[in-house]
């Protein structure tokens, strides 16, 4: 890949797909890649107005696509490949959370979280692996959660989906790493997003007390790690799990 001389041209000529890019961490990732010169496509599910605003702000192209429909995901990858000629980076960011204690959790809630957060990432990785293998290059960054590493009441389904995503990413790195495709995972802690804002106050307070830096992170701080992992500077990083949590897990 061609070396560039500044952040505005670092990803010039490269094509990036970000799932769930209309808000929060996903939006910050889309904007950071676009600022660095990438051609960015991002998916959204229902928030068409928010997606249009992101696209207008940074020049990225929104695509409506369900996270739970394998055929729609495959069609989206085919569309981007046909339009852009290649896909250099996939960021699996889309996900949902819905807190409930296990003994009160409807089975449908469990299935919905697993289907969206874990199975969705599986469908995206499977679909993008073909063009990346054909090109013998690419980077896949999967976004997990600190809930996979520390116990959070009411999030057994969410923790299971994100913990499995970490394990999935390591196994996928073993499959694709020798063929020029780097797979890594980013694990955000408590980040200032709409999803975090909806958490119960007591959970947020307990989290804040355990964070060594005594603040929640910003979406841009996660996005910077994602773009680094997709860059030439990270060319020898494969199968790793990078935690961005202000010292939450370091505190024990």
């Amino acid at each position: 890949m061609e070396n560039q001389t500044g952040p505005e041209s670092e990803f010039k000529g490269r094509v990036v797909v970000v799932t769930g890019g209309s808000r929060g961490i996903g939006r910050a990732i889309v904007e950071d890649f676009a600022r660095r010169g990438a051609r960015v496509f991002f998916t959204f599910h229902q928030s068409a107005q928010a997606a249009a605003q992101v696209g207008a702000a940074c020049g990225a192209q929104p695509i409506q696509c369900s996270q739970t429909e394998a055929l729609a995901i495959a069609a989206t990858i085919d569309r981007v490949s046909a339009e852009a000629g290649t896909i250099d980076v996939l960021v699996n960011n889309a996900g949902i959370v819905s807190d409930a204690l296990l003994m009160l959790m409807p089975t449908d809630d469990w299935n919905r979280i697993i289907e969206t957060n874990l199975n969705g990432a599986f469908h995206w990785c499977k679909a993008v692996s073909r063009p990346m293998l054909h090109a013998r290059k690419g980077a896949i960054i999967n976004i997990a959660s600190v809930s996979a590493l520390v116990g959070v009441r009411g999030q057994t389904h969410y923790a299971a989906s994100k913990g499995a995503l970490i394990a999935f990413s390591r196994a996928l790195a073993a499959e694709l790493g020798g063929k020029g495709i780097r797979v890594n995972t980013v694990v955000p802690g408590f980040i200032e997003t709409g999803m975090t804002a909806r958490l119960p106050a007591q959970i947020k307070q307990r989290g804040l007390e355990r964070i060594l830096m005594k603040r929640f992170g910003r979406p841009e701080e996660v996005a910077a790690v994602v773009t680094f992992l997709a860059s030439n500077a990270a060319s020898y990083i494969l199968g790793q799990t990078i935690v961005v949590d202000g010292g939450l897990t370091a505190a024990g």
Side-chain angles (χ1 to χ4, degrees):
M1 288 178 287
E2 182 181 355
N3 290 326
Q4 304 295 343
T5 58
E8 295 79 11
S9 60
E10 183 178 2
F11 287 93
K12 185 177 181 180
R14 298 174 68 183
V15 179
V16 177
V17 175
V18 180
T19 70
S22 62
R23 56 190 177 185
I25 293 172
R27 176 171 183 162
I29 293 169
V30 168
E31 292 175 339
D32 200 22
F33 272 116
R35 181 177 67 84
R36 296 172 186 271
R39 183 177 182 184
V40 185
F41 297 81
F42 69 95
T43 69
F44 69 96
H45 180 45
Q46 292 179 322
S47 51
Q49 183 176 359
Q53 290 173 348
V54 175
C58 67
Q61 184 172 333
I63 301 175
Q64 188 168 21
C65 182
S66 171
Q67 182 72 2
T68 60
E69 296 181 18
L71 292 179
I73 290 170
T76 299
I77 290 297
D78 288 344
R79 170 185 168 182
V80 173
S81 296
E83 185 172 334
T86 187
I87 298 176
D88 297 290
V89 181
L90 170 68
V91 182
N92 272 308
N93 168 76
I96 57 173
V97 63
S98 176
D99 286 5
L101 296 175
L102 180 64
M103 64 181 178
L104 302 174
M105 185 184 297
T107 301
D108 285 349
D109 279 10
W110 172 276
N111 291 336
R112 184 168 58 92
I113 295 292
I114 298 297
E115 182 66 25
T116 302
N117 296 354
L118 178 60
N119 295 354
F122 157 74
H123 293 312
W124 283 106
C125 288
K126 183 177 180 181
V128 84
S129 65
R130 288 186 181 276
M132 285 187 176
L133 283 168
H134 180 74
R136 295 194 69 83
K137 66 182 179 67
I140 297 173
I141 299 104
N142 293 322
I143 308 299
S145 168
V146 76
S147 292
L149 306 178
V150 299
V152 179
R153 284 169 50 87
Q155 291 193 352
T156 53
H157 48 358
Y158 185 68
S161 70
K162 294 300 189 177
L165 185 59
I166 293 172
F168 167 83
S169 300
R170 286 177 177 154
L172 186 61
E175 290 187 15
L176 301 181
K179 299 175 177 63
I181 303 168
R182 296 185 298 105
V183 183
N184 292 289
T185 310
V186 173
V187 180
F190 286 90
I191 307 298
E192 295 173 347
T193 66
M195 184 180 290
T196 303
R198 292 191 295 271
L199 290 174
Q202 62 270 26
I203 290 180
K204 289 192 287 186
Q205 183 58 38
R206 284 200 299 267
L208 192 60
E209 290 170 356
R210 295 175 63 183
I211 296 171
L212 295 179
M213 296 183 72
K214 300 304 178 186
R215 67 172 177 86
F216 290 168
R218 299 185 301 275
E220 295 77 13
E221 291 174 307
V222 180
V225 177
V226 173
T227 52
F228 165 71
L229 286 173
S231 73
N232 293 344
S235 59
Y236 202 56
I237 299 178
L238 170 67
Q240 299 304 303
T241 302
I242 312 298
V243 181
V244 187
D245 68 353
L248 173 62
T249 49

